[in-house]
RNA sequence: GCCCCUGUAGCUCAGUGGAUCAGAGCGUCUGACUUCGGAUCAGAAGGCCGCGGGUUCGAGUCCUGCCGGGGGCGCCA
């Protein structure tokens, strides 16, 4: 990665300056390497001189000049300049830039990968209760988690994707009770729904399906037994829906971890033993508490109720014990809905009390999605039954647009998603802008093939015009984009990059004829567009989107 | 009351403490192919980055106080 190379060169220069006593001996902070706001100021710039000026008791301009003069000559850098108030500007060498086309073609789908040392990272996402269909908000977390996992894996980590299936606990009993009522109703019995039951119409769908497949056999069972059986059957059906939705969003998990596994294998007991050892448990009022006030939390939390039944918090303790101490992940990323944020600090406190560095647990909260239809806000509530399901969103706007829209926004911001708008403006949809660039290149390559042009010996050194150079310079920042997105756990850098690259290509396309009478130049440019296609495809693949070779308008 | 997220162009939103940093897309307005895909390109208009202090050589970015929006504070999950 060229950015790393530049860091090496700067470090070499700084060390040299220090050994010549042109700079005082001191530790050097982050070199502050970035892209200048304008092309004229170079391809990369470092603000290190200003960062160390105070400690060095020197004028930043002088420091910059000293460092710049000691940067060793290299193939990558054509020249170095300084600019007030102390920037060091580096200009890439055009020939070296042109050669990068060959690098990209050689590395292909691996270009940009492996930029970080691998850790074992688990990303747990979606994890919606199997008591109802996924809604749009789940979709956001799903796409965020999945794309993040893609990026982390591509960057070089060993990533495991997991869905936590909440198939034990109070909501299951309520689900079963509701389903039984619906089942009885479907068979002509006039029974009321339980208070706070699941009101969604899908419960009737489930009941009807069960009547269809099993007949009235559950009527004869004792109520408890009937509820249990129905809950189990119903959850399997809901899980099948969920899997179907996720499949259509191209999301696949390595493991579906069931809550009940935590009770079958003693994780909770072991975790509690550890916590007891750490002295953070407290028994009072017949219940077992996590004494988190002593750890700086604003209140204690019940782990085991006075009736002996563990809380949701208890299972999460056991679950994280399992993640860290049994499965030994270096890092665990939990993607939760924003409504769980109150749970974050006590979960971290637990992890810490288990003897694990709490920074190894990263909780990403995905904020609310306000779904709109023609400007009208649609409320998302599982209870009212008036929900827009993820299924509807996928069917309306398609998986590609759905994914692109969700990851374009930082998970920290609430977002509006207007289905009508997304549908109406599908032509103007940014997703098509990127895909169109890819399809356009595919078309050019088809033309070359039709004309039997062999461009394998193309001489990339011919790629020296401004449009060509700009395009390649954009290409070679791809590995940096991956690194930044992976380090910051911020996938939204990827769609932004894809748009910028597509834009650079479209501009290039206007100015530079690819297949022309000039055979040598044609061959070079075919290599260039092929490399653009490679990088676009890499970006789209990481975003979980298709990279079409042809696009057909269907709306005209 | 306490905690978390948030406030940037008419709209939806990007912006690791760096320089023309006021950005993109949509919307509005002007232009552009007899050759590779016009789902394109070139350009214009549009802004006290919610408000006030502070830290810094440098603040949309960090701290703090207000104001506005959303969410959370159960022996629910």
């Amino acid at each position: 990665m060229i950015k790393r190379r530049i860091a090496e060169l700067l470090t070499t220069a700084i060390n040299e300056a220090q050994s010549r006593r042109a700079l005082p001996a001191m530790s050097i902070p982050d070199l502050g390497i970035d892209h200048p706001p304008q092309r004229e100021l170079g391809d990369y710039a470092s603000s290190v001189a200003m960062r160390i000026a105070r400690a060095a008791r020197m004028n930043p301009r002088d420091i910059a000049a000293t460092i710049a003069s000691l940067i060793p000559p290299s193939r990558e850098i054509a020249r170095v300049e300084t600019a007030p108030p102390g920037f060091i500007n580096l200009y890439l060498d055009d020939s070296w830039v042109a050669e990068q086309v060959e690098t990209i073609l050689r590395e292909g789908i691996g270009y940009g990968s492996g930029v970080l040392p691998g850790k074992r990272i688990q990303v747990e996402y979606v994890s919606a209760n199997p008591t109802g269909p996924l809604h749009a908000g789940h979709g956001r977390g799903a796409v965020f988690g999945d794309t993040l996992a893609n990026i982390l894996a591509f960057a070089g980590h060993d990533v495991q994707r997991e869905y936590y299936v909440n198939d034990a606990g109070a909501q299951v009993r309520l689900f079963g009770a509701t389903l039984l009522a619906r089942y009885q109703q479907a068979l002509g019995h006039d029974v009321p729904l339980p208070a706070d039951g699941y009101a969604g119409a899908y419960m009737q769908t489930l009941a009807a399906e069960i009547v269809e497949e099993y007949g009235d056999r559950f009527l004869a069972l004792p109520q408890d037994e009937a509820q249990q059986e129905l809950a189990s059957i119903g959850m399997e059906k809901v899980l099948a829906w969920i899997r179907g939705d996720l499949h259509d969003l191209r999301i696949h998990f390595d493991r579906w971890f069931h809550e009940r596994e935590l009770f079958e294998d003693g994780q909770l007991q072991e975790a509690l033993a550890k916590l007891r050892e750490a002295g953070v448990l407290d028994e009072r009022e017949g219940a077992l508490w996590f004494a988190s006030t002593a750890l700086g939390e604003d209140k204690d939390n019940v782990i085991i109720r006075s009736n002996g039944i563990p809380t949701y918090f208890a299972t999460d303790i056991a679950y994280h014990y399992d993640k860290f101490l049994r499965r030994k992940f270096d890092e665990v990323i939990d993607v939760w809905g924003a409504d769980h944020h109150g749970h974050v600090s006590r979960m971290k406190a637990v992890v810490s009390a288990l003897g694990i560095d709490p920074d190894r647990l990263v909780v990403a909260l995905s904020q609310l999605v306000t779904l709109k239809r023609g400007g009208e806000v649609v409320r998302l509530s599982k209870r009212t039954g008036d929900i827009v399901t993820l299924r509807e969103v996928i069917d309306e706007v398609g998986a590609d647009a759905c994914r692109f829209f969700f990851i374009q926004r930082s998970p920290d911001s609430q977002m509006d998603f207007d289905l009508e708008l997304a549908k109406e403006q599908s032509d103007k949809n940014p997703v098509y802008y990127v895909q169109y660039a890819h399809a356009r290149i595919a078309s050019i390559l088809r033309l070359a093939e039709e004309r039997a042009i062999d461009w394998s010996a193309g001489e990339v050194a011919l790629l020296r015009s401004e449009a060509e150079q700009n395009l390649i310079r954009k290409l070679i920042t791809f590995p940096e984009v991956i690194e930044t997105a992976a380090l910051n756990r911020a996938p939204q850098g990827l769609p932004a990059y894809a748009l910028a690259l597509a834009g650079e290509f479209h501009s290039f396309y206007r100015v530079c004829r690819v297949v022309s009478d000039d055979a040598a130049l044609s061959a070079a440019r075919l290599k260039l567009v092929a490399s653009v296609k490679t990088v676009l495809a890499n970006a789209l693949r990481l975003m979980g989107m298709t990279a079409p070779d042809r696009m057909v308008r269907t709306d005209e």
Side-chain angles (χ1 to χ4, degrees):
Chain A
M1 192 184 342
I2 181 61
K3 194 173 173 182
R4 292 248 174 90
R5 175 68 178 140
I6 285 170
E8 285 171 18
L9 293 170
L10 284 167
T11 303
T12 303
I14 290 168
N15 289 342
E16 180 63 22
Q18 287 179 322
S19 68
R20 292 186 190 187
R21 300 179 187 252
L23 274 181
M26 58 186 290
S27 69
I28 301 300
D30 184 277
L31 296 173
I33 299 170
D34 209 341
H35 298 275
Q38 290 170 291
R39 248 323 278 292
E40 303 81 68
L41 294 171
D43 295 293
Y44 289 87
S46 167
S47 57
V48 68
M50 289 167 289
R51 291 164 190 258
I52 63 175
R54 175 186 287 265
R57 297 173 181 278
M58 289 175 67
N59 181 322
R61 285 221 70 170
D62 295 340
I63 299 173
T66 300
I67 296 173
S69 70
L70 292 174
I71 291 176
S74 67
R75 294 188 51 249
E76 295 90 345
I77 305 300
R79 67 179 202 278
V80 182
E81 291 179 1
T82 63
F87 287 102
I88 301 168
N89 294 334
L90 299 100
Y91 296 75
L92 294 178
D93 181 79
D94 286 357
S95 301
W96 180 84
V97 168
E99 285 169 27
Q100 300 318 298
V101 169
E102 297 284 10
T103 304
I104 295 167
L105 291 177
R106 191 172 58 246
E107 297 187 11
I109 61 168
Y111 181 69
S113 68
V115 293
L116 293 174
K119 290 197 289 184
R120 292 192 70 228
I121 301 182
Q122 184 204 52
V123 186
E124 181 219 324
Y125 51 110
V126 193
S127 300
N129 289 354
T131 52
L134 298 179
H135 56 63
H138 291 129
R140 183 180 195 183
V143 169
F144 172 82
D146 192 62
T147 306
L148 180 58
N150 288 347
I151 290 170
L152 291 172
F154 190 70
H157 297 298
D158 178 10
V159 176
Q160 197 232 19
R161 302 145 196 266
E162 184 154 299
Y163 187 120
Y164 179 64
V165 183
N166 220 299
D167 57 358
Q171 82 283 356
V172 176
R173 288 189 290 277
L174 184 58
F175 177 75
T178 308
L179 192 50
L180 177 60
R182 287 301 192 194
Y183 174 79
Q184 290 165 329
Q185 289 171 358
L187 290 167
H189 297 264
D190 184 22
V191 296
L193 287 184
D196 300 323
Y198 292 90
Y202 65 88
M203 292 301 283
Q204 287 160 287
T205 308
L206 286 178
E209 279 185 24
I210 292 171
V211 170
E212 174 92 7
E213 291 168 33
Y214 297 84
D216 63 359
R217 75 171 72 153
F218 299 109
L219 289 179
L221 294 180
Q223 179 165 324
D224 272 3
E225 206 173 315
Q227 284 183 12
Q228 254 178 31
E229 295 246 0
L230 287 171
S232 167
I233 294 167
M235 285 195 305
E236 270 314 311
K237 287 179 174 294
V238 173
L239 271 176
W241 292 346
I242 289 173
R243 270 194 280 267
D245 293 350
L246 294 174
H247 171 85
D248 288 354
L249 273 180
R250 308 181 187 112
I251 293 172
H252 303 278
F253 288 93
D254 297 313
R255 180 161 179 189
W256 295 70
F257 190 101
H258 290 261
E259 178 175 348
R260 55 178 130 79
E261 296 179 51
L262 294 171
F263 298 100
E264 291 162 0
D265 205 19
Q267 286 93 327
L268 182 58
Q269 284 66 33
E270 287 178 25
L272 291 183
K274 275 217 141 207
L275 292 177
R276 199 179 309 276
E277 223 172 278
V280 295
L281 296 186
D282 191 14
E283 276 182 71
R284 81 179 107 95
E285 300 156 36
L288 183 67
W289 297 72
F290 178 52
S292 36
T293 30
L295 303 171
E297 295 291 296
D298 55 357
K299 58 177 187 285
D300 291 348
N301 298 280
V302 172
I303 298 176
I304 311 279
R305 299 180 182 88
S306 47
N307 65 8
I309 297 175
T311 62
Y312 156 82
F313 184 43
T315 54
D316 238 6
I317 291 171
Y319 187 34
H320 284 81
Y321 173 86
D322 188 84
K323 291 182 183 201
F324 282 110
L325 295 176
R326 284 223 176 157
R327 289 191 273 167
K328 303 194 186 305
F329 288 106
D330 297 321
E331 180 173 322
V332 168
I333 299 176
D334 292 347
V335 181
W336 294 345
D339 56 340
H340 284 62
H341 94 258
H343 190 54
V344 176
S345 66
R346 63 173 177 261
M347 204 61 241
K348 286 211 167 218
V350 164
V351 166
S352 185
L354 287 172
I356 297 153
D357 176 359
D359 286 342
R360 287 169 57 195
L361 173 64
V362 176
V363 181
L365 297 176
S366 96
Q367 294 291 328
L368 209 71
V369 176
T370 304
L371 215 53
K372 293 184 171 177
R373 213 185 268 281
E376 289 285 308
V377 175
V378 186
R379 284 259 157 245
L380 300 179
S381 162
K382 201 179 272 191
R383 299 274 160 175
T384 65
D386 176 26
I387 63 170
V388 176
T389 60
L390 181 57
R391 165 59 47 198
E392 289 173 79
V393 177
I394 299 170
D395 288 348
E396 269 189 69
V397 309
D400 282 344
C402 186
R403 289 196 63 125
F404 194 86
F405 270 94
F406 277 137
I407 46 178
Q408 210 180 356
R409 275 114 173 109
S410 147
D412 297 330
S413 302
Q414 297 167 35
M415 63 174 282
D416 285 5
F417 196 122
D418 194 316
L419 294 168
E420 293 295 327
L421 215 60
K423 229 172 25 174
E424 272 171 32
Q425 300 185 338
S426 61
D427 279 10
K428 299 292 185 182
N429 210 310
V431 62
Y432 295 107
Y433 185 80
V434 177
Q435 292 181 322
Y436 182 64
H438 187 271
R440 209 175 201 184
I441 294 169
S443 172
I444 294 170
L445 295 176
R446 276 194 299 273
L447 178 78
E449 199 174 342
E450 279 164 24
R451 297 193 185 168
I453 296 171
D454 177 9
W455 45 276
S456 61
E459 187 46 69
V460 295
L462 295 173
L463 303 169
R464 305 195 67 94
S465 75
E466 189 180 351
E468 290 160 333
Q469 286 277 319
N470 284 345
L471 185 52
I472 305 168
R473 280 172 158 82
K474 181 58 73 178
L475 287 171
I476 62 179
T477 61
F478 182 65
E480 292 168 28
V481 171
I482 296 300
E483 181 183 47
T484 303
L487 286 175
N488 299 339
R489 283 85 174 92
Q492 65 268 26
L494 209 46
Y497 173 79
L499 284 171
L501 177 58
E504 206 66 67
F505 168 73
H506 287 310
S507 298
F508 155 85
Y509 177 85
R510 268 289 160 183
V511 179
C512 296
R513 172 93 201 166
V514 177
V515 179
S516 69
D517 296 337
D518 185 336
L521 189 58
S522 296
R525 285 180 173 168
L526 281 164
K527 280 194 167 175
L528 172 56
V529 299
S531 69
V532 174
K533 184 169 182 280
T534 296
V535 175
L536 278 176
N538 284 354
L540 286 166
R541 190 180 69 250
L542 291 175
M543 290 189 281
M545 293 166 58
T546 57
D549 284 344
R550 284 194 171 81
M551 291 172 73
V552 187
R553 305 186 68 118
T554 56
D555 60 334
E556 288 185 347

